[in-house]
Amino acid sequence: MAVKKRPKTLANGRPPISKPRERMTAQRSRTIIRTHHRLHKQLAAAQKTGDLQTAKALEAEIEKNGGIALYQAASKQGQANDRGGDSSRLLVEWLAELNLLDRKARGRHPTEKPSLQCLEVGALSTANEISKFPCAIEMTRIDLNSQGPGIEKQDFMDRPLPTSDHGRFDILSLSLVLNYVPDAPGRGAMLQRIPNFLRSTGGDSLPLLFFVLPLPCIDNSRYIDETRLLEIMLSLGFTMVKKKLTAKLCYYLLHWTDSAKPARFEKKEIRSGPGMNNFAIAVE
Ligand SMILES: C[S@@+](CC[C@H](N)C(=O)[O-])C[C@H]1O[C@@H](n2cnc3c(N)ncnc32)[C@H](O)[C@@H]1O
């Protein structure tokens, strides 16, 4: 017997109603971020020893875990107001306290070239708080994986070194990026590279580095504590201007002067205990 077709309702012809995208739970985004970091560390170790087979397997596993795109989506969730928020809000607050930024300039459009130039390394968004002052701060944003227009796809370690102040910046933001680098010498090399991008002609309190790390990098690592971190930064010419510690993150605003006292910092155990992590920075 032929099956009788039911008449189509009006709703059949309508485009589907767009449902709001589901948010990841905080637990899921943490798991994605941790797994991505762990696999990258293992990959760097395999590449270092030339174990190509393991490296290939790890690359496949990183993709299976959603790759950098899912990692960035998980990180973006962390920027939501109810999950700790956008770290650049504190940068804005500190710049205002230093009289480098007028809060009233928020949302105003530039009529001339802004007086401050900022390089944001590891940029996930063009709508974060520091981007809301286009008349005062000209933003240049880069990331290993661009999320869209306004963010250049570029590895900071491959960014051509400026040959004049024209290509340098008054502010460099490195928020939750150093801990992405999978090994200690790579982290040291990233920090050593920063001064090349800073111009020292902007005034007494410039140039500045806005530097954010997960708190466990300094308060629960066998190799780094705040004293050692600041020693490393001082050797590169950075002195601390502002600092804030929260339950999850440590934020620093560091002033760079051309006064580096180059020194070697090895990966050296400074304390130990159960449950500590192995975050380290080595400067050659
Ligand atoms: C956890 S997200 C942090 C994003 C944002 N800055 C924040 O504070 O929330 C880290 C970002 O750094 C980027 N990143 C890591 N190493 C980088 C490098 N060498 N050059 C450019 N971007 C890098 C990653 O692609 C990722 O999007």
Side-chain angles (χ1 to χ4, degrees):
M1 199 175 76
V3 182
K4 240 188 175 182
K5 271 196 184 166
R6 292 175 79 192
K8 283 189 175 167
T9 65
L10 265 180
N12 278 95
R14 279 191 211 128
I17 298 164
S18 75
K19 283 192 198 149
R21 253 197 249 153
E22 267 177 45
R23 271 181 20 137
M24 283 177 211
T25 62
Q27 174 63 39
R28 178 158 149 70
S29 47
R30 262 199 308 274
T31 306
I32 290 164
I33 289 170
R34 281 193 192 140
T35 309
H36 190 82
H37 283 163
R38 176 176 53 77
L39 293 172
H40 260 282
K41 271 184 211 141
Q42 291 172 353
L43 175 62
Q47 284 166 337
K48 205 170 162 189
T49 57
D51 184 349
L52 297 183
Q53 209 180 336
T54 307
K56 221 172 149 201
L58 285 163
E59 274 165 1
E61 214 178 322
I62 288 170
E63 283 317 304
K64 218 173 111 197
N65 184 49
I68 193 163
L70 193 64
Y71 167 81
Q72 288 181 320
S75 301
K76 256 188 167 171
Q77 297 266 309
Q79 291 185 341
N81 285 341
D82 57 339
R83 304 244 177 107
D86 159 18
S87 67
S88 78
R89 281 190 312 197
L90 186 59
L91 174 56
V92 166
E93 196 178 308
W94 282 344
L95 292 177
E97 281 172 17
L98 293 172
N99 292 322
L100 291 168
L101 185 64
D102 179 359
R103 281 180 183 283
K104 288 193 219 109
R106 193 177 193 276
R108 240 187 259 151
H109 286 286
T111 48
E112 52 190 46
K113 192 169 168 63
S115 59
L116 296 174
Q117 269 81 49
C118 174
L119 174 64
E120 184 179 3
V121 179
L124 288 182
S125 162
T126 56
N128 56 353
E129 189 60 18
I130 193 68
S131 302
K132 304 259 163 76
F133 296 81
C135 71
I137 308 179
E138 183 180 30
M139 295 297 297
T140 299
R141 306 177 193 85
I142 62 169
D143 199 285
L144 292 178
N145 184 48
S146 167
Q147 297 275 314
I151 305 172
E152 189 184 343
K153 180 178 161 72
Q154 186 181 62
D155 183 339
F156 174 61
M157 301 310 285
D158 295 334
R159 186 175 174 88
L161 294 182
T163 50
S164 73
D165 265 0
H166 184 67
R168 299 194 182 104
F169 298 87
D170 305 295
I171 303 163
L172 191 145
S173 167
L174 194 74
S175 170
L176 299 174
V177 176
L178 193 76
N179 54 302
Y180 187 94
V181 180
D183 58 15
R187 294 186 194 118
M190 182 175 264
L191 292 178
Q192 279 176 309
R193 196 171 171 79
I194 292 171
N196 293 298
F197 294 90
L198 297 175
R199 73 165 73 100
S200 45
T201 48
D204 286 350
S205 40
L206 294 168
L208 292 165
L209 169 66
F210 180 63
F211 184 28
V212 185
L213 283 172
L215 189 64
C217 293
I218 61 155
D219 83 345
N220 196 32
S221 158
R222 293 183 179 86
Y223 301 97
I224 293 283
D225 58 8
E226 186 180 72
T227 305
R228 192 164 171 83
L229 178 69
L230 295 178
E231 264 170 33
I232 293 174
M233 298 315 286
L234 191 62
S235 79
L236 299 172
F238 291 97
T239 46
M240 193 174 74
V241 181
K242 303 257 183 200
K243 155 184 157 176
K244 180 174 177 179
L245 304 185
T246 65
K248 289 184 180 164
L249 301 176
C250 52
Y251 302 78
Y252 297 97
L253 191 65
L254 303 156
H255 178 217
W256 183 76
T257 50
D258 198 356
S259 62
K261 295 172 200 74
R264 281 192 77 217
F265 289 87
E266 301 172 342
K267 180 177 173 181
K268 181 179 83 179
E269 192 170 283
I270 53 171
R271 57 189 168 174
S272 76
M276 294 196 106
N277 68 66
N278 292 323
F279 180 81
I281 301 171
V283 179
E284 307 288 324

